[in-house]
Amino acid sequence: MWSREVARIRLVLISHIHADHHVGLVGILEARLRLGLTDPLCIVGPPSLEHSLEELRAPLGLLYTYYVNLHLLSAASPRPTARPPAPTVVAQESLRKAMDATGIDRVEAVCVPHCFNAFAYVVRTRGGRSVVFSGDTRPSEDLARAGQGADVLLHEATFEHDMVAEARKKMHSTTVEALEVADRMGATDVVLNHFSQRYPKLPVSASASSRRAVMVAFDLMCLPLDKVGAVAQFLPAIRCVLEEEEEEEESKASAPPKE
């Protein structure tokens, strides 16, 4: 099954260069080589990642094209002081083919407040749908404007709201802040992700006071865009199952050792 899923990937959007957001990329590229795929994978991301990947291209024989996302900035996004050279014809053609293959009409990048060269993405499909991926960020008015009326907002919710001071310090968002961004954006459905290990199961306020369908992301989750609202109805049941599992694990951990 994994080989089928890897072979289906046509386009990868990287938000920033922190390891947890791109460290699996080389593994995907190597897996494509093992599958005998010869069509270069199109990668869109910040300028600095292009240089890192270039160091590995020849030694590992990686097949990819890289499109620097600064050339895709939304009109709502702040502008950096410096811009990279124009994308090559090869990179432009690769992005066009990847968008054609996936039914994407437009990809826009938005500079967000997290680290240097951190970006969110707004993806609009030819069928009229739009998906916004926040990457790692503090709540961003620029992103709320760029993603107005999104069908699905995938927003980081690293901390519970009682840890808002920690979220500000580390340039992340709380669950409540993420849902407030969804309100200002007018997003139809929300998928929260990037949870702190302080609560490895489900954040307590994942859907608190939200006026829309809210789902929580799990590793390896595949979720059709038009099913977010339906799947979100099962969140209370999922929470109950995970709470029971957590109680069982805590009980085992506190039990005295067997003789």
Side-chain angles (χ1 to χ4, degrees):
M1 179 178 179
W2 71 268
S3 59
R4 182 173 69 248
E5 296 306 318
V6 168
R8 289 178 58 195
I9 298 173
R10 301 297 183 89
L11 177 63
V12 176
L13 306 177
I14 302 293
S15 59
H16 61 294
I17 62 169
H18 287 169
D20 58 321
H21 288 261
H22 70 84
V23 74
L25 183 56
V26 172
I28 291 175
L29 292 170
E30 290 183 312
R32 288 172 57 85
L33 291 176
R34 291 194 295 271
L35 293 171
L37 301 175
T38 58
D39 194 22
L41 179 64
C42 182
I43 301 168
V44 175
S48 50
L49 181 59
E50 180 181 22
H51 305 313
S52 301
L53 280 176
E54 193 61 33
E55 295 291 325
L56 300 173
R57 185 197 293 268
L60 299 179
L62 304 180
L63 295 175
Y64 68 88
T65 59
Y66 199 93
Y67 197 104
V68 175
N69 58 11
L70 291 176
H71 297 296
L72 299 172
L73 288 180
S74 163
S77 176
R79 260 43 186 178
T81 55
R83 289 178 64 82
T88 65
V89 173
V90 172
Q92 293 181 64
E93 179 63 15
S94 177
L95 179 59
R96 185 195 63 76
K97 287 177 60 178
M99 292 172 63
D100 285 346
T102 52
I104 293 174
D105 180 60
R106 189 161 77 251
V107 177
E108 296 178 339
V110 181
C111 294
V112 292
H114 178 60
C115 65
F116 178 68
N117 271 349
F119 298 88
Y121 290 98
V122 180
V123 179
R124 305 186 191 279
T125 73
R126 289 175 182 167
R129 291 181 175 274
S130 61
V131 181
V132 178
F133 173 60
S134 75
D136 284 5
T137 183
R138 288 291 296 146
S140 168
E141 289 302 323
D142 296 322
L143 181 59
R145 287 195 298 271
Q148 276 296 305
D151 291 283
V152 179
L153 167 64
L154 291 88
H155 202 289
E156 72 121 292
T158 305
F159 295 102
E160 282 283 20
H161 200 61
D162 60 0
M163 299 185 70
V164 65
E166 188 79 0
R168 289 173 180 153
K169 178 181 177 181
K170 297 188 175 180
M171 300 301 287
H172 284 292
S173 299
T174 69
T175 50
V176 172
E177 287 176 328
L179 295 175
E180 289 173 347
V181 172
D183 287 340
R184 294 194 292 276
M185 185 180 292
T188 301
D189 297 323
V190 183
V191 179
L192 300 177
N193 64 1
H194 201 271
F195 307 117
S196 168
Q197 292 183 354
R198 287 180 175 84
Y199 44 97
K201 298 301 183 184
L202 282 183
V204 174
S205 57
S207 57
S209 68
S210 176
R211 302 193 296 270
R212 55 188 40 81
V214 179
M215 188 55 192
V216 172
F218 294 89
D219 288 343
L220 306 179
M221 174 185 283
C222 294
L223 190 58
L225 296 183
D226 59 349
K227 301 297 183 184
V228 175
V231 174
Q233 297 178 26
F234 295 98
L235 189 57
I238 294 172
R239 186 186 301 280
C240 288
V241 171
L242 293 178
E243 285 176 353
E244 290 176 2
E245 180 182 316
E246 189 170 10
E247 290 174 1
E248 184 178 337
E249 291 176 356
E250 291 175 353
S251 176
K252 290 180 180 178
S254 61
K258 294 182 179 180
E259 297 294 335

